Amino acid sequence: MFERFRTFLDGLTGPATRIEHGDPRVAVIALCFQVMEADGRILASERRKMRKIIKEHYNLDDASLSALIEAGETAESEAIDFYQFTAEIKRHLSEEQRIELVGMLWDVVYADGERSEMEDHVIWRIADLLAVSGRDRVLQRQEAAARSETAVPTESQQEN
């Protein structure tokens, strides 16, 4: 599952020791937050999934991860639309990496075991701005759904 993210994230800059203006990793995290907020709530399972993906594939220590996530969350809270993030990402990522990013966003959606109409809509808009085809968007959704069904539930998910 994380092999495809490694390729995606390897195409970006190395470990976050200093976060610079225009860092595409901040844009990626901001889009994750926009997807998580689409259904009106950010669940702990979604945050954990995002943190795990970002930490493993950027090879970050906890302090660097927290700084990068804080920068992404701040950027997202100040944004008026998706465009500023998708434009930054399009400047830095290949078509294949953008498709993989859409898959990563779907993995965050499925972290809580369900997807909402609003999450569908937000990813559709992001994928469109990233020039990811509808076919690729749907394939990424199906793959993320399959991965989430085969994942072993955490203790907190089993309690719900």
Side-chain angles (χ1 to χ4, degrees):
M1 170 175 136
F2 292 108
E3 289 283 333
R4 64 191 186 94
F5 296 129
R6 182 173 317 280
T7 302
F8 160 69
L9 296 172
D10 285 347
L12 301 177
T13 58
T17 53
R18 189 178 69 163
I19 301 168
E20 297 181 19
H21 178 70
D23 187 332
R25 298 171 300 177
V26 173
V28 167
I29 292 169
L31 290 179
C32 287
F33 275 105
Q34 291 192 337
V35 167
M36 287 188 289
E37 290 177 344
D39 62 2
R41 59 199 167 120
I42 296 179
L43 300 177
S45 59
E46 294 168 328
R47 279 186 176 272
R48 280 191 305 271
K49 177 62 113 180
M50 180 189 65
R51 288 182 67 85
K52 180 177 172 137
I53 290 169
I54 299 298
K55 182 177 183 173
E56 287 179 2
H57 295 287
Y58 284 126
N59 193 27
L60 300 172
D61 60 37
D62 288 336
S64 297
L65 174 66
S66 294
L68 192 59
I69 288 175
E70 183 178 329
E73 191 168 15
T74 299
E76 187 278 331
S77 70
E78 296 171 352
I80 57 171
D81 61 18
F82 305 125
Y83 182 77
Q84 71 186 65
F85 305 123
T86 57
E88 184 71 29
I89 289 167
K90 279 180 73 174
R91 281 193 291 275
H92 291 91
L93 302 182
S94 69
E95 179 182 10
E96 182 179 308
Q97 291 170 318
R98 294 190 312 267
I99 292 168
E100 292 169 356
L101 170 58
V102 170
M104 182 175 85
L105 296 174
W106 281 120
D107 284 330
V108 171
V109 165
Y110 282 107
D112 64 0
E114 54 188 64
R115 85 175 208 259
S116 75
E117 184 177 320
M118 291 305 298
E119 290 167 328
D120 280 341
H121 179 74
V122 168
I123 291 183
W124 169 77
R125 290 191 60 220
I126 290 169
D128 190 49
L129 290 168
L130 290 173
V132 171
S133 72
R135 179 183 181 280
D136 287 329
R137 176 178 44 85
V138 170
L139 286 172
Q140 292 299 314
R141 184 191 75 216
Q142 291 169 341
E143 290 174 12
R147 284 189 299 274
S148 74
E149 290 172 5
T150 60
V152 177
T154 63
E155 288 180 28
S156 62
Q157 289 171 326
Q158 290 174 345
E159 293 172 2
N160 292 336

